[in-house]
């Protein structure tokens, strides 16, 4: 594994190997063991969008690995004034050992990987959020014991989260259902791939998708960069919510997940969110462990 740009690039075995290492790192940290797996290594983190979890988990994770991280806001970099990615990538490759980028276009992270000479991690694009999904898979295995015979259901926007969850879940053999309004489907190529390679359904009906779900997942109706469409989206996504009425259709011991930040009262009610807060915040914690595993693998 040279980069982490999207989950399509990873084999099932590579994903499992990251999850195994993440479990080991979580165990070590719980027992007060912090090893300098990446002593003296420097990670740049370019942010063109806001972040709480990604920034803090990467920064503290790198510290725990004995390395150092640099927070690079695109507002302060020359890239924000038009310096091309091709040049920025080649320059940063001469100072740093690894680079994480959160931006809009997937092409930009692909270009950083193409023109630079160090490993690149996608910290979220409009297309994908692989780091989040590795933490999600880790959480599912931790709580459910395995991926066997699990049905995962996503309610809402066919966005970056949906795209990456579909790929991750299908690669690990889970059944996947998504309920989304017309015009808000996940990436068409990912949908076609999922239909060919696994048990995948896409429906307009929240109730249909929820039936028999072991894992329920949702995300905001308007992702970062889509704020201007907020009102239209509130209209279009009405009903695409996990609440105490429809959750009854899922399995009794269903897990509820959210990548966060959440908009209570939109994609999920406060009641359901709080009833599943333990799962949701374990998921948030697991960002730290899963990303440390990714950094170690990429720097090997
Ligand atoms: N889930 C997630 O990526 O959160 P942040 O936007 O806070 O990084
Ligand atoms: N879909 C959301 C995920 C945030 C972690 C967004 O892109 O804003």
């Amino acid at each position: 594994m040279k980069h982490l740009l999207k989950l399509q690039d990873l084999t099932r075995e590579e994903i499992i190997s990251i999850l195994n290492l993440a479990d080991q790192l979580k165990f070590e940290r719980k027992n007060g063991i912090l090893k300098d797996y990446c002593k003296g290594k420097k990670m740049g983190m370019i942010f063109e969008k806001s972040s709480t979890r990604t920034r803090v988990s990467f920064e503290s994770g790198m510290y725990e690995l004995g390395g150092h991280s640099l927070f690079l806001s695109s507002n302060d970099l020359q890239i924000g004034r038009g310096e091309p990615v091709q040049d920025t990538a080649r320059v940063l490759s001469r100072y740093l050992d690894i680079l994480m980028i959160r931006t809009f276009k997937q092409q930009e992270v692909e270009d950083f990987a193409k023109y630079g000479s160090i490993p690149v991690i996608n910290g979220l694009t409009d297309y994908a959020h692989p780091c989040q999904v590795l933490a999600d898979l880790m959480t599912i295995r931790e709580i459910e014991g395995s991926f066997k015979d699990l049905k995962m259901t996503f309610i809402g926007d066919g966005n970056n989260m949906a795209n990456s969850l579909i790929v991750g879940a299908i690669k690990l053999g889970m059944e996947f259902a998504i309920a989304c309004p017309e015009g808000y489907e996940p990436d068409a190529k990912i949908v076609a791939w999922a239909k060919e390679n696994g048990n995948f359904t896409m429906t307009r009906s929240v109730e249909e998708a929820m039936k028999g779900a072991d894992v329920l997942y949702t995300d905001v109706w308007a992702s970062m960069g889509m704020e201007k469409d907020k009102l239209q989206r509130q209209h279009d996504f009405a009903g695409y919510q996990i609440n105490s009425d429809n959750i009854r259709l899922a399995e009794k011991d269903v897990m509820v997940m959210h990548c966060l930040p959440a908009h209570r009262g939109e994609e999920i009610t406060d009641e359901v969110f709080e009833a599943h807060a333990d799962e949701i915040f374990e998921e948030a914690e697991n960002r730290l462990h899963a990303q440390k595993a990714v950094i170690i693998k990429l720097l090997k």
Side-chain angles (χ1 to χ4, degrees), residues 40-267:
K41 299 290 183 185
K42 293 152 290 164
M43 179 175 66
M45 308 188 300
I46 299 180
F47 281 92
E48 299 191 30
K49 289 175 173 172
S50 307
S51 172
T52 297
R53 280 145 289 271
T54 305
R55 177 180 176 182
V56 180
S57 56
F58 264 114
E59 199 164 323
S60 48
M62 197 57 184
Y63 175 78
E64 289 181 5
L65 293 171
H68 180 74
S69 59
L70 292 86
F71 172 73
L72 306 165
S73 162
S74 59
N75 295 330
D76 304 322
L77 292 173
Q78 295 289 8
I79 205 167
R81 293 181 55 248
E83 183 169 15
V85 167
Q86 296 93 299
D87 299 355
T88 310
R90 283 179 285 184
V91 170
L92 294 181
S93 295
R94 291 179 183 241
Y95 304 139
L96 302 168
D97 299 293
I98 186 165
L99 190 61
M100 190 238 77
I101 306 156
R102 166 168 287 198
T103 188
F104 295 85
K105 291 199 173 83
Q106 179 70 16
Q107 192 57 48
E108 191 173 326
V109 295
E110 305 272 348
D111 284 347
F112 262 102
K114 180 174 167 194
Y115 294 105
S117 51
I118 56 175
V120 173
I121 300 174
N122 178 354
L124 180 146
T125 61
D126 291 343
Y127 175 73
H129 198 0
C131 293
Q132 178 68 51
V133 172
L134 290 172
D136 297 340
L137 294 170
M138 177 184 176
T139 313
I140 293 169
R141 193 172 70 165
E142 194 176 327
I143 293 175
E144 301 283 347
S146 82
F147 300 107
K148 204 172 172 307
D149 298 327
L150 293 185
K151 175 180 176 180
M152 182 174 208
T153 292
F154 185 93
I155 305 294
D157 191 14
N159 60 14
N160 43 12
M161 279 311 313
N163 285 338
S164 294
L165 283 166
I166 293 169
V167 176
I170 296 287
K171 281 205 181 217
L172 292 181
M174 281 187 266
E175 179 184 346
F176 197 97
I178 177 168
C180 59
E182 197 180 344
Y184 295 99
E185 293 83 7
D187 179 78
K189 278 194 188 138
I190 291 180
V191 167
W193 172 86
K195 282 183 180 161
E196 213 155 278
N197 290 279
N199 187 346
F200 174 85
T201 42
M202 183 160 68
T203 168
R204 304 283 167 238
S205 163
V206 172
E207 288 72 25
E208 186 191 331
M210 277 219 184
K211 253 179 235 156
D214 301 287
V215 183
L216 282 179
Y217 206 111
T218 190
D219 185 17
V220 291
W221 292 344
S223 286
M224 288 183 276
M226 294 162 195
E227 289 80 4
K228 60 178 189 333
D229 304 329
K230 206 176 150 202
L231 287 178
Q232 180 66 47
R233 282 172 169 264
Q234 279 175 346
H235 171 266
D236 296 346
F237 282 95
Y240 285 85
Q241 180 190 65
I242 303 179
N243 55 49
S244 46
D245 282 334
N246 58 31
I247 203 172
R248 286 184 240 274
L249 296 166
E251 289 297 310
K252 238 176 143 190
D253 55 354
V254 65
M255 268 180 81
V256 176
M257 306 184 78
H258 196 306
C259 56
L260 304 176
H263 287 187
R264 290 169 169 80
E266 292 193 357
E267 74 275 5

